[in-house]
Amino acid sequence: MRKSKVYDCTIIELSKHHSPQGNISVVENNKDVPFEVKRTYHLYDVPGGESRGSHAHKELSQLIIAASGSFKVTLDDGEVKRSFILNRPYQGLLVVPGIWRTLEDFSSGSVCMVLASELYDADDYIHDYDEFLAYKRQ
């Protein structure tokens, strides 16, 4: 998705179910998220002032959720940047392939949950920003 734009990325409201015992939000493949989830992972204990991400994917889509706490996600399509503050566990940020992402400003104790459309593949990552810009121009 070389031609993808930051405006192809959006906040998805997850279902919320309230009860006196607490709340639950559900994510179902191809229903609440527009892909089949093949991998999940969590970022946590990110030291103050540190950032994560700083890469793009060629094929992988993600749903990024602040399971606890808050953090900022900045998306970049090579022309436009767009930032989102994630701080609600019933919202996820859909990030499509071909978008550079940086996660920063993690609050103390925050947990970032990521649902991914593909298994880990090192060849799907672009870690160099200039290489990313060249990829987008192809």
Side-chain angles (χ1 to χ4, degrees), residues 90-101:
Y90 56 85
Q91 292 180 333
L93 176 60
L94 175 65
V95 182
V96 299
I99 301 293
W100 188 269
R101 81 279 330 270

Side-chain angles (χ1 to χ4, degrees), residues 58-105:
K58 298 173 189 171
E59 301 295 330
L60 179 131
S61 294
Q62 294 177 318
L63 186 68
I64 302 173
I65 301 169
S68 180
S70 66
F71 50 89
K72 179 171 77 171
V73 181
T74 300
L75 305 179
D76 179 347
D77 62 19
E79 296 177 8
V80 175
K81 290 184 181 181
R82 191 173 175 205
S83 293
F84 298 85
I85 301 295
L86 297 183
N87 59 7
R88 292 179 171 85
Y90 56 85
Q91 292 180 333
L93 176 60
L94 175 65
V95 182
V96 299
I99 301 293
W100 188 269
R101 81 279 330 270
T102 303
L103 289 73
E104 57 195 348
D105 298 333

